[in-house]
Each structure stands twice: as C-alpha cells, then as structure tokens.
C-alpha cells in the first residue's frame, strides 16, 4: 500500500466495518479520513442509513468527502434526527462555493436538537455562503420563537427566547472579510448560547460598531473569541484607529469574554497603544497576541506609569506576547504592572522571541525567586506596630478614665482622638508596606539571545533555594553552550529538593565551546597515543581505562535520569 492511498478492497473492508459499528452502536466518535474511508456518491446512501440506525455517536468528523447534492441532503437528515450527536465537521474545501449544496446540507443539520459544536473551518466559506448560514439560523430561530408564542401565550418573557443550543462555532481559515461581519452579527444573535467563536485565518481587516456591539449585547455566554491571522493592520493615514478602539470597547464592555486570541494580526503600535490600558481593566483571564512584530512596547507603554494608588479591575492569568518585539522596555512595563498589584493574578508569562537582553532576564528574577522572609518580616512589623498602637491607645484610655471620671464628654473626645490617631497610624503603616509579593508558575523567555551569562543567572536562581512556585521554565535558544547546560544540570541535581520546578527546557543551546572542543581534541590525541603504545601490559591499561572519568554526555544523561526518576523533574536540552 502506498502512503496516502488505500487499496480498494481494504477501503471497502474499512467502510463495511464502519457501517457495522454504527448499526451495533459500538462507537461514540467517528473520524473518517477520505484517504482511508472515502464516502462518496456511490456509498453515501448506505452510510446515511447506518447513521440513521445509530444512537451511540456523539462526534462525527467527515471533512473532505465528495457526497454529492443528494448525499448532502440525506446526511443532513440523518444528523437532524440523531438523538445524541453533539459535534460535527462535514463538507469539503469548496463547499462554501457550492451554495446549493451547502443549503441542502445545513437546512437539515441546523435543525438538530442535540447539536452543540459545528466546525466550518477550511470550507471556503465567504460572504455569500455565510449569508445562507445566517438565513438558516434565523429561520430556525423564528420557528422556535413562533412555537414558543403558541405554547406560551401567557408568558411574554419565554416567548422571546431562542432555543438554539449551539455553543461552538469554528469559521477559521475561510474567505470571510469585513463585509461578512453583518452575517456574523445575525448568527451571534440567533445563537446566544455560543461559548466559542473562531473567525481566525480570514481576510477581516477591520471591525464594525454593530459587530462589536452584537458580541456585547448577544454574546452573553461567549467565553473564547479567536481573531488570529486576520490582517488588522491599521493604515498610517487612518486617524480613526478603529481597530484599537473596537478592541478597547470589546475588552471593557463584554462581561462574559474570558479568552481572546489575536495572534499574527499585524497589529501596529497605534492600535496596541489604544487598547493597552483597557486590557488592564479587562475581566478576562487569557490574552494571546503572538507574532505581532509591529507591536513593540506600545501595548504596555501605559503600564510603566502605574503606581500602588492606581485602581484596576483585572483578572488576567495568561499573557502571551511571543514574537511581538516588546524589548526590555516592554518587560519593564509588565514588571511594573505586576509589582504595583495590577496583574496580581498573572500565572503564565510568555515573552519568547522578543529581542530581550540579559537585563530583562535579571529583572524577571523577582517572579521566580520568592523571598517569603521579607514578606513575613513586613507582616511581623505591621503586627508589632498594630500592637503598639493598641497598647498606647489602651494606656491613654485608662489615663483618661482615671483623670477625668467626672467628665464623660472629655473622655469621649479623648477616645475619639486616640482612635483617630490609631487609624492614621495604621493607614501610614499600610502605605509603607512593600510592593505586593507575586509569583508565576510558567515562564517562557526562549529565543532571546541572553548569551553565556544566562548560566550564572539561572544557577543563582537555583542556589537561592527559593524557586518555590515556578513549575515550567523555558530557555530554548538563548545563546548558551553545552557546558553551560551541563553545569546547570549539576547544580540543579544538588539543589532540586528545594525547587518547585517540574520542567526545564534548554533546547538549542547544545553547541560546543572552545574549551570543550580543545578538551575533546586532547582526549582524542591521548587515545591515539595509547593505541600506538599498546604492549604486553594491555590488560592493565584496560583496567585503567575502566577507571577513567565517564564521558561528559554520559554524566549529563545520568543527571537527567536522576532528576526525572527521583525528583519528577523533566530536563530537556535537545
């Protein structure tokens, strides 16, 4: 059998086995790859019949099959009437251009009462085909509302609610443009239960006010929005900055959105600067904007001026700006936002491939090496100050009571003054507290050329015995050499009892340096001389060979095995 093709007899056998599984209800998921189990106009009716008899299936993936128009209708009917099917991906790379075929399929599919997840990705869906999808959704929504009106004449509130239960829609990698947003608005309105919407990988160059407002007003349950790989680059001649303003509005006014992806969108400095501060007031948890090389430090520029008195409502846990060229200035701004307590929930930070220098790596130490002693000392000092204030207040109150028994008004005034002083002292102590203690669990600084000084920095972190929260540290391709990796493995093995690390990535740093090359050349020379001087003492020489030091690669391998076996720590260096 040639790879990528299937023998017709084998294909027939696989198809028959699939029909058998459907009829016997022995499977819950079907992934039908056209290369191995092709469904076409010749066998689609048999497959549709088997699907109609099935009740166990919950997932059906059959993208890329040429079903024919009648086949699309029959498959659609089977999906519509299936009692448990929740997830589907049906069609081929050009069904979005076949408007009649698309309508034949979806007229039935979108009437399913069990369907929750629909994958329309890579199907050449454009503005015209999206309008058909919108119309079918809308008609189905109108039918539901009419039924509700008939069944609930006395309940006006229920009559306006849609029964569509679609929660996942993937329109990724199609041919949608900004004109398509009008139909997306309708789809969102008809499907208020959508939790995941992917419109990435299209040709959307700008948003519209009504589209953003439709997400805010109708996407009440929308948790994740994927906008990646759309050309959202704002023109230098455009003074409106519509992309930045629309993203800012979305971040500030959407109450449900928790995750947003803006990878590879060509976002420029102007747009990023506009919605950068809004990001600090976003209630979401994950912001990903990798591969926007025009961004620079603009997204975080306003973060550099934050202070402890600045109040933001922020819940970001994952921040990924890989490949945005934020530079040392960008890291400095992020660190300031963290130290001021604005990014107090940040748990994952990805700043790989950002043209960072060793200065940034050193600055990130405070997120990795956690000095709990300083924090405890601050708490102890505050407690002592509070105790002293309370004692002073009690003494003052006692003196007032002893000296002014006949003057209740004075006593009350003195007590009020003392309490006010105590409150002022406590407030002063609170203001004098150190910056909030913070840590992260996942840090990726790969592909920034820090150089060989990286080794000393990482060894310093490890030897501190204060890596108590970090679980994953990625330092791939940062300009170290193999001997640096070897030294880190030794130090880590000696100090791993006190570290929280579970994964350390150091791939791309295995190049040999001059010292290692010289040592290997010397060792090779000695070996050649030993071979030439073999004599009757060969056995003794062999014993001496056994006592020679292990190869440095063997030692590293042993160190890695020990870390994994004894400490459950994965050490990856290649």
């Amino acid at each position: 059998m040639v790879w990528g093709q299937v023998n017709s007899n084998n294909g027939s056998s696989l198809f028959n086995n699939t029909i058998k599984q459907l009829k016997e209800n022995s499977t819950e998921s079907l992934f039908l790859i056209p290369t191995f189990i092709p469904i076409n106009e010749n066998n689609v009716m048999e497959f549709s019949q088997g699907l109609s008899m099935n009740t166990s299936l919950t997932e059906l993936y059959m993208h890329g099959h040429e079903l024919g128009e009648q086949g699309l209708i029959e498959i659609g009917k089977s999906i519509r009437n299936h009692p448990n099917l929740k997830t589907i991906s049906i069609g081929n790379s050009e069904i979005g251009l076949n408007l009649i075929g698309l309508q034949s399929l979806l007229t039935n599919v979108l009437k399913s009462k069990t369907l929750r997840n629909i994958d329309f990705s890579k199907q050449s869906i454009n503005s015209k085909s999206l309008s058909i999808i919108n119309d079918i959704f809308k008609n189905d929504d109108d039918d539901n509302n009419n039924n509700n009106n008939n069944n609930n004449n006395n309940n006006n509130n229920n009559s306006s609610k849609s029964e569509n239960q679609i929660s996942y829609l993937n329109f990724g990698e199609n041919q949608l443009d900004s004109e398509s947003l009008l139909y997306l608005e309708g789809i969102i309105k008809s499907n208020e239960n959508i939790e995941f919407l992917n419109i990435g990988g299209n040709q959307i160059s700008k948003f519209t006010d009504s589209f953003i407002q439709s997400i805010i007003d109708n996407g009440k349950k929308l948790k994740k929005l994927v906008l990646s790989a759309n050309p959202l680059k704002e023109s230098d001649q455009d003074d409106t900055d519509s992309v930045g303003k629309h993203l800012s509005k979305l971040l500030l006014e959407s109450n449900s959105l928790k995750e947003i992806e803006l990878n590879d969108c060509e976002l420029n400095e102007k747009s990023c600067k506009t919605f950068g501060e809004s990001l600090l007031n976003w209630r979401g948890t994950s912001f990903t904007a990798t591969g926007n090389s025009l961004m620079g430090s603009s997204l975080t520029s306003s973060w550099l001026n934050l202070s402890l008195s600045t109040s933001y409502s922020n819940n970001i846990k994952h921040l990924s700006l890989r490949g945005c060229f934020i530079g040392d200035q960008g890291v400095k701004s992020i660190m300031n936002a963290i130290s001021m307590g604005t990014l107090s929930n940040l748990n994952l930070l990805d700043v790989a491939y950002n043209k960072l220098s060793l200065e940034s790596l050193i600055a990130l130490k405070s997120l990795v090496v956690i000095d709990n002693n300083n924090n405890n000392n601050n708490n102890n000092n505050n407690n002592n100050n509070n105790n002293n204030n309370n004692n002073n207040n009690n003494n003052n109150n006692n003196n007032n009571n002893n000296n002014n028994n006949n003057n209740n008004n004075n006593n009350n005034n003195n007590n009020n003054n003392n309490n006010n002083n105590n409150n002022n002292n406590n407030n002063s102590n609170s203001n004098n507290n150190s910056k909030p203690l913070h840590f992260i669990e996942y840090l990726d600084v790969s592909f920034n050329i820090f150089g060989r000084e990286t080794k000393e920095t990482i060894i310093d972190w490890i030897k501190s015995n204060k890596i108590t929260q970090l679980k994953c540290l990625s330092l791939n391709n940062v300009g170290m050499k193999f001997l640096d990796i070897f030294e880190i493995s030794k130090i880590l093995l000696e100090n791993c009892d006190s570290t929280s690390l579970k994964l350390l990535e150091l791939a791309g740093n295995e190049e040999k340096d001059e010292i290692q090359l010289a040592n290997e050349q010397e060792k090779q020379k000695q070996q050649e001389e030993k071979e030439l001087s073999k004599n009757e003492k060969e056995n003794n020489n062999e014993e001496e060979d056994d006592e020679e030091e292990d190869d440095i690669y063997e030692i590293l391998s042993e160190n890695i095995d020990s870390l994994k076996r004894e400490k459950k720590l994965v050490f990856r260096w290649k």
Side-chain angles (χ1 to χ4, degrees):
M1 182 186 300
V2 178
W3 179 255
Q5 297 180 348
V6 62
N7 181 280
S8 59
N9 292 329
N10 289 338
S12 177
S13 176
L14 290 172
F15 176 81
N16 292 334
N17 184 56
T18 300
I19 300 300
K20 181 180 178 182
Q21 286 181 314
L22 287 173
K23 292 180 177 180
E24 294 178 351
N25 291 313
S26 59
T27 183
E28 294 183 0
S29 300
L30 272 184
F31 293 81
L32 303 176
I33 301 174
T35 305
F36 300 103
I37 310 178
I39 311 295
N40 50 46
E41 294 181 74
N42 297 325
N43 60 11
V44 67
M45 297 304 177
E46 185 179 356
F47 178 82
S48 179
Q49 184 181 16
L51 184 59
S52 297
M53 299 172 63
N54 176 268
T55 59
S56 64
L57 205 64
T58 60
E59 295 179 296
L60 176 60
Y61 297 91
M62 50 184 303
H63 183 276
H65 298 269
E66 300 293 339
L67 305 178
E69 187 173 338
Q70 189 59 38
L72 290 170
I73 293 173
E74 295 302 319
I75 289 292
K77 289 179 180 179
S78 298
I79 292 173
R80 174 182 179 176
N81 297 320
H82 197 285
N84 290 304
L85 197 58
K86 291 180 172 59
T87 300
I88 63 164
S89 175
I90 293 178
N92 55 53
S93 60
E94 295 184 354
I95 194 171
L97 306 177
N98 178 7
L99 302 184
I100 296 176
L102 182 69
Q103 188 163 17
S104 300
L105 173 68
L106 296 183
T107 297
N108 286 298
V109 166
L110 297 184
K111 292 184 182 298
S112 166
K113 299 302 181 184
T114 63
L115 210 56
R116 300 291 180 268
N117 312 314
I118 306 180
D119 186 354
F120 289 107
S121 64
K122 300 179 181 180
Q123 295 187 10
S124 299
I125 303 292
N126 56 25
S127 184
K128 290 183 179 180
S129 44
L130 192 66
S131 70
I132 290 176
I133 297 173
N134 176 43
D135 288 342
I136 297 173
F137 268 127
K138 185 177 185 299
N139 291 335
D140 189 35
D141 190 33
D142 290 341
D143 290 342
N144 287 331
N145 287 335
N146 289 333
N147 290 334
N148 282 332
N149 285 328
N150 293 331
N151 295 328
N152 302 284
N153 288 326
N154 297 323
N155 192 334
N156 292 327
N157 290 331
N158 287 339
S159 67
S160 64
K161 292 182 180 178
S162 168
E163 290 185 355
N164 286 333
Q165 296 298 314
I166 303 298
S167 60
Y168 176 105
L169 281 175
N170 185 355
F171 290 104
E173 299 182 65
N174 279 295
Q175 299 174 13
L176 305 181
D177 54 20
S178 296
E179 294 181 3
S180 306
L181 296 179
L182 174 64
Y183 306 114
L184 279 172
E185 292 173 30
I187 291 172
I188 294 171
K189 185 176 181 180
S190 299
N191 295 274
E192 293 188 354
N193 290 296
I194 293 178
E195 296 181 8
F196 175 96
L197 177 61
N198 182 1
I199 54 174
N202 285 285
Q203 286 92 48
I204 300 170
S205 59
K206 61 181 179 179
F207 304 115
T208 61
D209 292 341
S210 56
F211 173 68
I212 296 298
Q213 197 63 48
S214 71
I215 295 178
I216 296 169
D217 293 341
N218 302 306
K220 301 294 186 181
K221 296 184 180 180
L222 185 63
K223 295 179 180 178
K224 183 170 182 176
L225 178 62
V226 179
L227 302 169
S228 300
N230 280 297
L232 297 175
K233 181 181 179 181
E234 199 78 60
S235 171
D236 292 333
Q237 286 74 36
D238 188 355
D239 296 330
T240 61
D241 187 22
S242 62
V243 170
K245 290 178 180 178
H246 282 136
L247 289 174
S248 182
K249 181 179 178 66
L250 181 64
L251 292 172
L252 292 175
E253 298 185 26
S254 173
N255 293 320
S256 63
L257 194 60
K258 300 301 178 186
E259 300 180 53
I260 185 168
E261 291 187 8
L262 285 159
N263 304 323
D264 302 300
C265 287
E266 303 177 40
L267 294 170
N268 61 16
E269 291 187 4
K270 181 168 60 175
S271 297
C272 293
K273 189 173 183 179
T274 299
F275 73 85
E277 187 168 358
S278 300
L279 189 59
L280 294 180
N281 272 315
W282 181 44
R283 289 179 287 273
T285 57
S286 178
F287 182 83
T288 306
T290 66
N292 291 290
S293 59
L294 301 176
M295 178 186 293
S297 62
S298 58
L299 180 74
T300 61
S301 59
S302 64
W303 304 4
L304 194 60
N305 301 318
L306 300 177
S307 64
L308 284 171
S309 61
T310 310
S311 177
Y312 286 97
S313 175
N314 181 279
N315 195 39
I316 295 178
K317 295 180 180 179
H318 296 174
L319 179 62
S320 182
L321 299 176
R322 170 185 292 252
C324 292
F325 298 163
I326 65 173
D328 293 333
Q329 188 72 7
V331 170
K332 190 179 296 183
S333 297
I334 293 172
M335 292 301 297
N336 186 60
I338 292 172
S339 65
M340 293 298 114
T342 304
L343 292 174
S344 58
N345 295 295
L346 192 64
N347 185 47
L348 178 150
L349 179 60
D350 183 354
V351 287
Y353 199 68
N354 265 304
K355 295 184 177 181
L356 306 182
S357 72
L358 189 65
E359 176 187 350
S360 289
L361 184 64
I362 294 173
L364 290 165
K365 177 180 179 180
S366 61
L367 301 182
V368 176
V369 178
I370 310 302
D371 194 349
N372 289 312
N373 291 330
N374 286 341
N375 195 50
N376 291 333
N377 289 334
N378 288 329
N379 289 334
N380 291 333
N381 290 333
N382 289 334
N383 289 333
N384 290 333
N385 287 330
N386 288 333
N387 290 334
N388 290 333
N389 286 330
N390 289 332
N391 289 334
N392 291 332
N393 192 38
N394 289 333
N395 290 333
N396 288 330
N397 286 336
N398 290 331
N399 290 332
N400 286 331
N401 289 330
N402 291 331
N403 296 327
N404 301 289
N405 288 327
N406 296 324
N407 193 338
N408 291 329
N409 290 332
N410 288 340
N411 279 336
N412 290 333
N413 290 333
N414 287 333
N415 284 332
N416 288 333
N417 289 334
N418 287 325
N419 287 334
N420 288 333
N421 289 335
N422 192 29
N423 289 333
N424 290 334
N425 289 334
N426 287 334
N427 290 334
S428 297
N429 289 329
S430 297
N431 291 333
N432 289 331
N433 283 348
S434 62
K435 295 176 182 179
L437 186 66
H438 189 80
F439 58 84
I440 59 175
E441 294 184 348
Y442 305 91
L443 176 62
D444 193 341
V445 290
S446 301
F447 297 96
N448 292 293
I449 308 303
F450 301 128
R452 300 200 65 177
E453 294 88 346
T454 309
K455 179 194 76 173
E456 299 302 327
T457 301
I458 302 305
I459 287 178
D460 175 59
W461 293 3
I462 297 170
K463 283 185 173 182
S464 72
N465 293 324
K466 293 177 181 178
I467 303 179
T468 57
Q469 303 295 333
L470 189 69
K471 294 180 180 178
C472 175
L473 176 60
S474 297
L475 288 155
N476 303 309
N477 292 88
V478 294
M480 288 191 291
K481 303 290 186 181
F482 174 79
L483 286 181
D484 300 326
I485 295 175
F486 178 72
E487 288 297 323
I488 290 174
S489 75
K490 288 199 305 180
I491 300 300
L492 188 57
L493 189 60
E494 294 170 2
N495 296 269
C496 60
D497 287 334
S498 60
T499 183
S500 58
L501 269 177
K502 297 300 177 185
L503 173 63
L504 179 59
E505 294 183 322
L506 297 165
N509 298 293
E510 59 268 21
E511 185 180 345
K512 300 174 183 178
D513 64 4
E514 296 80 2
I515 296 176
Q516 185 181 359
L517 289 172
N519 289 340
E520 289 182 356
Q521 290 174 357
E522 181 62 26
K523 188 174 182 179
Q524 179 67 25
K525 182 180 179 181
Q526 292 176 358
Q527 185 64 30
E528 291 174 355
E529 290 176 352
K530 190 174 291 185
E531 290 291 334
L532 292 173
S533 62
K534 281 185 177 180
N535 51 34
E536 67 278 359
K537 297 181 180 179
E538 183 175 356
N539 292 334
N540 292 333
N541 287 337
E542 286 180 358
E543 291 177 3
E544 290 176 3
D545 287 344
D546 291 339
E547 295 174 359
E548 287 182 359
E549 287 189 11
D550 291 334
D551 180 79
I552 191 170
Y553 289 95
E554 293 178 2
I555 298 174
L556 176 61
S557 180
E558 290 173 1
N559 290 347
I560 293 173
D561 289 342
S562 296
L563 287 169
K564 185 175 182 179
R565 182 178 61 255
E566 300 173 12
K567 310 303 177 184
K568 310 300 181 187
L569 195 160
V570 178
F571 187 102
R572 293 179 184 163
W573 68 280
K574 65 177 180 179

